[in-house]
Amino acid sequence: MTKFLAEIDVMPKKEILDPQGKAVTGSMKNLGLSEIQNIRIGKHISLEIDAENAEIANEKVEKACTSLLANLIMESYTFTVKAV
Amino acid sequence: MTKFLAEIDVMPKKEILDPQGKAVTGSMKNLGLSEIQNIRIGKHISLEIDAENAEIANEKVEKACTSLLANLIMESYTFTVKAV
């Protein structure tokens, strides 16, 4: 068994309005950072996983994303897995 | 002016309890994914920024992180900036 570390990003899909990001974009102006635009806010998830090899670790992370971590109707996800 | 894309991760600090991550770690067992451990959940933020060069873009993102996006008492942040 090898220990792997997965880093997952879950973001609202492009075509979906992100009200939290819109609100923070507005706040940037008040901070004098009006050159910052198009903020989108999602989740970053890190986790450890025990698996025989990287391929199995990838499968398990994929299953975790589709069944629990991301709502695939509104969100998309990307992840990386590396041995530690 | 060049357009840069910044990808920011804001995570709860190691020494701080992450109740959301703990709860999700528990749920993994019910999904048959008990080999997944130590889940920590933070924010992933993507934003666009107009700046003369990468150094200035980095400074602005740094300012946005410290003054608005991250609570430095409980959270730490990392980011990458690339031209698009």
Side-chain angles (χ1 to χ4, degrees):
Chain A
M1 284 296 214
T2 317
K3 199 178 269 304
F4 294 88
L5 181 70
E7 301 280 346
I8 304 163
D9 288 328
V10 179
M11 296 297 287
K13 285 186 178 174
K14 285 272 178 295
E15 58 273 21
I16 295 211
L17 182 71
D18 173 19
Q20 194 186 1
K22 274 261 182 302
V24 174
T25 306
S27 304
M28 286 295 171
K29 275 199 198 73
N30 306 332
L31 284 171
L33 291 168
S34 55
E35 54 278 69
I36 292 181
Q37 290 293 327
N38 265 338
I39 303 181
R40 293 184 76 80
I41 301 182
K43 284 177 289 186
H44 183 80
I45 300 155
S46 69
L47 54 85
E48 289 172 14
I49 181 162
D50 292 317
E52 285 81 24
N53 56 51
E55 201 180 329
I56 292 173
N58 266 285
E59 274 170 31
K60 305 246 177 198
V61 174
E62 187 85 34
K63 190 183 168 197
C65 287
T66 53
S67 56
L68 186 62
L69 300 174
N71 168 1
L72 297 180
I73 297 168
M74 297 174 62
E75 296 170 326
S76 59
Y77 62 91
T78 54
F79 65 87
T80 59
V81 172
K82 64 165 195 262
V84 284
Chain B
M1 284 295 215
T2 317
K3 198 177 272 301
F4 294 89
L5 181 70
E7 300 280 347
I8 304 163
D9 288 327
V10 178
M11 295 298 286
K13 285 186 179 174
K14 284 271 177 298
E15 59 275 19
I16 294 209
L17 181 72
D18 173 19
Q20 195 186 359
K22 274 261 183 302
V24 174
T25 306
S27 305
M28 286 296 170
K29 275 199 199 73
N30 307 331
L31 284 171
L33 292 168
S34 55
E35 55 277 70
I36 292 182
Q37 291 291 328
N38 266 339
I39 304 181
R40 291 185 77 80
I41 300 181
K43 282 177 289 185
H44 183 80
I45 300 154
S46 70
L47 55 83
E48 289 173 13
I49 181 163
D50 291 317
E52 285 81 25
N53 57 50
E55 202 180 331
I56 292 173
N58 265 285
E59 273 170 30
K60 305 245 176 197
V61 174
E62 187 84 35
K63 191 183 169 198
C65 287
T66 54
S67 57
L68 186 61
L69 300 175
N71 167 1
L72 297 179
I73 298 168
M74 299 174 63
E75 296 170 326
S76 59
Y77 62 90
T78 54
F79 65 86
T80 58
V81 173
K82 65 165 195 266
V84 284

